Amino acid sequence: MQEGDIELAIMGRPPEGWATRAEPFAMHPHVLVTSIDHRFTRMDVVPASALSDEGFIVREPRSGTRAAFDEYMRTHQVAPRVVMQMSSNEAIKQAVMAGMGISLLSLHTLGLELDHHLIASPETEGLPIMRRWHVVKSHAKTLSPAAEAFRYFILERGEAFLATQFPA
């Protein structure tokens, strides 16, 4: 986007340090994810203090998901034990499903896995963390008619669409 190759982006956390227009359009919940047979799935509510005993698979520093994770851990005074760091939500989901650790991910990345009971998202104290999705464009670039139409579509219908896909 900064180089001008991308007209429009959907982001959880708009970029800092360069001129963009970021318009929020929907809530963006982050939840705890575990394997389906993890001990947390048998609890009514997982207390934040229980997380200190777990190995976490986390996103890379400076990602929005990592920022949400770090903020949650600071707020709940939990010193997480990080066992892996990955730059892909898909890789993290596979590692969690294999029982290699637990993670905090955007609920919007988990639809297929939750629908097919491949991954669990136990209710957890202080979660979900509610952030916002943004539609972002560079001030330096004029949107094409197609990108502008898509921008309006997202702003008008994005939140309702996500609500139908993730009603909980």
Side-chain angles (χ1 to χ4, degrees):
M1 180 176 261
Q2 198 167 14
E3 295 170 4
D5 295 336
I6 297 172
E7 288 188 73
L8 200 62
I10 305 298
M11 304 174 125
R13 193 171 64 162
E16 297 175 1
W18 53 287
T20 60
R21 178 179 181 182
E23 299 169 283
F25 69 90
M27 295 309 293
H28 182 200
H30 287 70
V31 297
L32 184 73
V33 291
T34 69
S35 64
I36 58 170
D37 58 354
H38 192 278
R39 67 185 178 95
F40 286 170
T41 63
R42 295 181 296 281
M43 300 172 84
D44 291 333
V45 177
V46 178
S49 60
L51 300 177
S52 62
D53 298 331
E54 298 296 321
F56 277 90
I57 304 165
V58 298
R59 286 291 306 266
E60 73 282 7
R62 296 181 305 279
S63 75
T65 300
R66 180 64 175 267
F69 171 80
D70 291 342
E71 175 187 319
Y72 177 84
M73 293 298 165
R74 269 191 311 276
T75 299
H76 293 279
Q77 300 177 355
V78 173
R81 185 171 54 91
V82 175
V83 295
M84 271 186 263
Q85 178 178 289
M86 299 179 172
S87 61
S88 161
N89 288 334
E90 295 304 315
I92 290 173
K93 290 187 292 186
Q94 292 298 316
V96 167
M97 286 187 283
M100 299 171 75
I102 65 175
S103 192
L104 184 85
L105 291 173
S106 166
L107 179 63
H108 295 149
T109 68
L110 301 168
L112 180 67
E113 293 81 5
L114 289 172
D115 287 349
H116 292 279
H117 307 286
L118 301 171
I119 205 164
S121 180
E123 187 174 338
T124 306
E125 177 187 357
L127 293 178
I129 294 173
M130 298 303 284
R131 300 183 70 135
R132 292 206 174 270
W133 281 118
H134 298 82
V135 61
V136 181
K137 72 173 249 15
S138 171
H139 277 306
K141 187 159 183 87
T142 301
L143 294 178
S144 67
E148 186 64 33
F150 183 65
R151 180 182 148 271
Y152 277 117
F153 179 83
I154 291 294
L155 291 172
E156 291 176 3
R157 299 188 185 173
E159 188 163 38
F161 172 77
L162 289 171
T164 65
Q165 299 300 304
F166 302 92

